[in-house]
Amino acid sequence: MFKKRGNKPEASIKEKEKMTAQDWLPIKDITSHFLFRKDGQLVAVLKIEPINIVLKSDSEKKRIVSAVHEAWNGIQYAIQILALPRPVDLDKYLDELQEIARETTDIARKRILQEYIHYIAGIVRGGEALERRYYLLISMAEVKQGKEELLKRAYELAANLETSGLKVNICDDVQIIDMAFSFLHPSQSAFEQIPTPAGITTIYREGGM
């Protein structure tokens, strides 16, 4: 006698089809300057503005590298580095150039503008108009006093890195959502507004505990 097969595989497939995007993501919540993961980890996010050291003198380059190296050596916990490419929306810039080209009466200037517009349009079509955003992610278990300890680490790391001349910000809720949106929807992040929730409550103020 053969046993009747159950419908577990079919049921499992149907359950997966009913899952929402939020069910698939490891993010539980974003609030109070933190990202809460479903595995019980609490994450603080630091955004670093890049600087161009090519134009710096040799002594300035050494000072910057030395300061970053010293700050890096002082880290006694795990840290993640995230570099996100993000498309730059140049549509408004192109519209302004085209308006200038239409209004100018100088033939030579109009030709130069039209050639430049064609060049910019080619960059946009080729997907070459990209910027990169840099983040540091610090995490620890969601325990009692964990928020205070994690925020303290974030401010200390930001202060140490800023001695090199880097501009470092502790991300608030909107900035963390923007980072997640750029990671999950990179092709649309420059053209769509982030889905900012209403009524965000900020428990901690930037600049101090």
Side-chain angles (χ1 to χ4, degrees):
M1 181 178 290
F2 296 98
K3 292 183 179 180
K4 185 177 180 181
R5 292 184 178 180
N7 295 324
K8 289 185 178 180
E10 292 182 7
S12 178
I13 292 173
K14 289 181 179 179
E15 288 176 1
K16 288 184 178 180
E17 289 176 349
K18 291 180 180 179
M19 291 178 69
T20 63
Q22 190 167 353
D23 294 328
W24 288 97
L25 296 176
I27 300 171
K28 182 172 66 175
D29 197 5
I30 296 174
T31 185
S32 306
H33 285 52
F34 298 106
L35 184 150
F36 294 80
R37 295 194 333 219
K38 291 180 179 177
D39 62 355
Q41 290 289 309
L42 192 64
V43 183
V45 181
L46 288 74
K47 183 180 179 182
I48 300 179
E49 301 293 338
I51 58 173
N52 187 355
I53 66 172
V54 174
L55 301 178
K56 304 287 186 181
S57 66
D58 291 341
S59 60
E60 287 177 322
K61 291 178 183 177
K62 290 179 180 178
R63 181 186 62 79
I64 293 171
V65 172
S66 177
V68 172
H69 185 264
E70 184 176 347
W72 213 251
N73 280 342
I75 299 174
Q76 303 296 324
Y77 44 82
I79 193 168
Q80 291 176 294
I81 303 173
L82 188 61
L84 292 179
R86 182 186 176 99
V88 179
D89 187 2
L90 296 176
D91 289 346
K92 185 177 179 180
Y93 180 56
L94 281 172
D95 290 341
E96 292 175 354
L97 289 176
Q98 290 169 349
E99 183 65 24
I100 295 172
R102 282 193 296 268
E103 293 179 354
T104 186
T105 57
D106 189 314
I107 296 176
R109 187 185 182 195
K110 185 185 289 289
R111 185 178 68 253
I112 293 173
L113 279 169
Q114 288 174 342
E115 290 176 355
Y116 183 63
I117 290 170
H118 181 71
Y119 167 72
I120 296 297
I123 291 177
V124 173
R125 286 194 301 270
E128 300 174 25
L130 294 174
E131 65 171 333
R132 288 193 178 273
R133 295 189 177 185
Y134 300 91
Y135 300 91
L136 297 179
L137 278 62
I138 309 173
S139 63
M140 67 180 300
E142 190 180 344
V143 295
K144 187 177 180 180
Q145 304 299 323
K147 293 180 181 178
E148 290 78 4
E149 177 62 27
L150 186 58
L151 199 61
K152 180 181 177 182
R153 289 182 182 181
Y155 277 116
E156 287 179 349
L157 179 57
N160 291 337
L161 288 172
E162 284 180 343
T163 60
S164 66
L166 290 171
K167 184 179 179 182
V168 185
N169 295 317
I170 310 297
C171 292
D172 59 19
D173 298 348
V174 174
Q175 292 169 322
I176 295 174
I177 293 171
D178 182 59
M179 178 199 71
F181 191 59
S182 298
F183 179 78
L184 297 169
H185 303 278
S187 61
Q188 296 298 319
S189 57
F191 312 106
E192 295 182 13
Q193 292 186 347
I194 62 171
T196 306
I200 290 179
T201 302
T202 302
I203 295 176
Y204 299 98
R205 294 180 300 169
E206 289 193 27
M209 294 292 291

